[in-house]
Amino acid sequence: MTDIEPISVEVAYARADKQQIIGLLVEPGTTAFVAAEKSGIVRVFPEIDLEAANFGIFGQALGTKGLKPAKEHVLKAGDRVEIYRPLIADPKEARRKRAEKAKSAEG
């Protein structure tokens, strides 16, 4: 038996019609990716491709701004691993189209 105390983390995913947060206990040193695998969230949302998904911790995208990618980011107690859906539209293009539409409505 080991004296290592597990830590409590959450794994979250959301669609427009359904959201799920799964709490689980993991060993210290567990990465965000491994926690997502262990959570079983793919059984709830079979469309998730963990290998291709983008991850974050409390809204901070992993693999950016000095944060390690999900397979390397070691979790702390209380962390919430967020699995992000792929974008369906380029945000810059969507803003440009809205601006054009607003401009043509003015004139």
Side-chain angles (χ1 to χ4, degrees):
M1 177 144 179
T2 173
D3 291 337
I4 298 173
E5 288 289 320
I7 60 172
S8 178
V9 298
E10 296 176 331
V11 175
Y13 184 75
R15 293 189 316 220
D17 64 326
K18 183 178 182 181
Q19 303 81 37
Q20 185 82 41
I21 298 175
I22 299 172
L24 65 151
L25 295 173
V26 297
E27 292 181 11
T30 298
T31 65
F33 185 85
V34 170
E37 285 181 319
K38 287 186 176 193
S39 74
I41 198 143
V42 174
R43 288 191 299 275
V44 180
F45 299 99
E47 71 270 18
I48 298 173
D49 178 357
L50 290 178
E51 289 292 335
N54 291 315
F55 292 81
I57 303 290
F58 292 116
Q60 297 295 313
L62 295 179
T64 65
K65 299 180 184 173
L67 295 174
K68 292 182 178 180
K71 288 186 176 183
E72 298 173 21
H73 182 86
V74 175
L75 298 173
K76 299 183 298 258
D79 277 351
R80 182 181 66 225
V81 177
E82 299 162 344
I83 304 169
Y84 301 133
R85 291 178 289 151
L87 294 176
I88 53 175
D90 176 14
K92 290 180 185 178
E93 182 66 18
R95 275 193 298 278
R96 185 186 64 74
K97 286 181 179 179
R98 283 194 305 273
E100 285 176 1
K101 185 176 179 182
K103 191 173 186 176
S104 65
E106 290 174 2

